[in-house]
Amino acid sequence: MGVFTKIIMAICVVLIAVKWTAPRFDEESLRGARVVVTGASTGIGEQLAYHYARFGAQIVITARREKVLQQVAEKCLSLGAQKALYIAADMSSESDPEKVVDFALEKLGGLDYLVLNHIGPSPFTVWQGDVEHTKWLMQVNFFSYIQMAWRALPSLEQSNGSLVIVSSLLGKTTSPFVAPYSSTKSALNGFFGSLYHELAMKKSNVSVSLCTLGLIDTEAAMDKVREVVNLPAYPATDAALNIIIIGATRQLELYYPWYTYIIVVTKDWFPSITNYIVQNSYNYIP
């Protein structure tokens, strides 16, 4: 048995052990929970809203398109949400992120979960030096996250609440065609990883969960990578459920699907192999 095979088997054993010893998820703990979900008009955010609704939570959802949000909120109510409210917001605005949190605090009377999931559109292509777009994307994908987290922290402290940050494998390991996007996700991992330590050291009641996702079958993602990326896409509804569980059980990290953890662990051990696999996962002709 080769060294690489042994390492992979050892990682699998660790993953099974972690899964086996993880805190048990109690669906009833979410009944009546006060939740904000961003980026909730489509994709993972929409599925997050529906799962929380089925668990009987009180939900505030936000995205840019008000009409679509209204439809999602109506479906949440039909699925069992105790409340389903919506507020349209543009996360590239300096004021809208805090406005969303203030709206939720007013309508729900506090917060138990702040689930930050939104992203701005970014081209899937070789970087052409568009610094202004990268600055804009950093506001949407990063600065708005820390604005909302800071605004919500006092309420989350009072409720023994949770910050749930939806990040990406692209924030943990480099990949072509996504330089601006990858930089924003790396920033999220760095900031909220540091915040986790600070909250823990001061015995805060707030938990932080960082979610590292691989390729998910959202319409936005598949429109970009279809026939370009040689990787399987995993269901958005399953990703959303795993995100909810990691937040509800107050665990620090989620890796979904399973291969994301193996890539993160092995990229520093075998960088040349990892780089080869990454570069050959794309159908790219210069």
Side-chain angles (χ1 to χ4, degrees), residues 17-31:
V18 169
K19 186 75 172 177
W20 186 259
T21 59
R24 297 297 178 184
F25 171 54
D26 178 14
E27 294 183 9
E28 284 300 310
S29 69
L30 294 175
R31 186 166 300 280

Side-chain angles (χ1 to χ4, degrees), residues 53-232:
R54 294 184 184 97
F55 295 134
Q58 305 176 66
I59 313 165
V60 168
I61 58 174
T62 187
R64 289 175 298 170
R65 297 177 294 167
E66 185 169 2
K67 187 171 291 187
V68 180
L69 285 172
Q70 182 180 2
Q71 294 169 352
V72 174
E74 289 172 355
K75 184 171 180 178
C76 285
L77 289 172
S78 72
L79 291 171
Q82 291 186 12
K83 290 183 180 180
L85 308 171
Y86 62 90
I87 176 172
D90 181 354
M91 294 302 174
S92 68
S93 160
E94 291 187 5
S95 60
D96 277 13
E98 294 179 359
K99 181 179 75 174
V100 171
V101 176
D102 290 343
F103 174 86
L105 293 175
E106 177 187 351
K107 299 297 184 180
L108 302 181
L111 276 182
D112 300 300
Y113 294 92
L114 177 61
V115 185
L116 300 176
N117 162 76
H118 59 276
I119 57 172
S122 187
F124 185 73
T125 185
V126 174
W127 191 58
Q128 299 291 338
D130 191 347
V131 175
E132 290 305 314
H133 169 72
T134 305
K135 289 180 180 178
W136 176 86
L137 195 66
M138 192 65 76
Q139 166 60 34
V140 176
N141 289 12
F142 174 63
F143 288 119
S144 67
Y145 277 56
I146 65 178
Q147 284 178 269
M148 295 184 74
W150 181 251
R151 196 74 159 194
L153 271 174
S155 181
L156 293 173
E157 188 75 51
Q158 291 177 4
S159 66
N160 196 39
S162 300
L163 273 171
V164 182
I165 312 301
V166 179
S167 188
S168 170
L169 177 62
L170 298 173
K172 295 273 192 178
T173 186
T174 55
S175 188
F177 314 129
V178 288
Y181 175 82
S182 182
S183 67
T184 65
K185 292 300 186 179
S186 296
L188 282 181
N189 292 337
F191 183 89
F192 285 100
S194 293
L195 183 63
Y196 159 77
H197 289 298
E198 293 173 6
L199 293 174
M201 291 167 70
K202 68 178 186 179
K203 311 300 182 185
S204 170
N205 292 324
V206 180
S207 69
V208 176
S209 297
L210 288 165
C211 305
T212 299
L213 304 184
L215 181 59
I216 307 301
D217 67 353
T218 64
E219 184 178 346
M222 299 313 297
D223 283 348
K224 291 180 179 180
V225 306
R226 191 178 286 111
E227 299 181 359
V228 178
V229 176
N230 301 318
L231 288 173

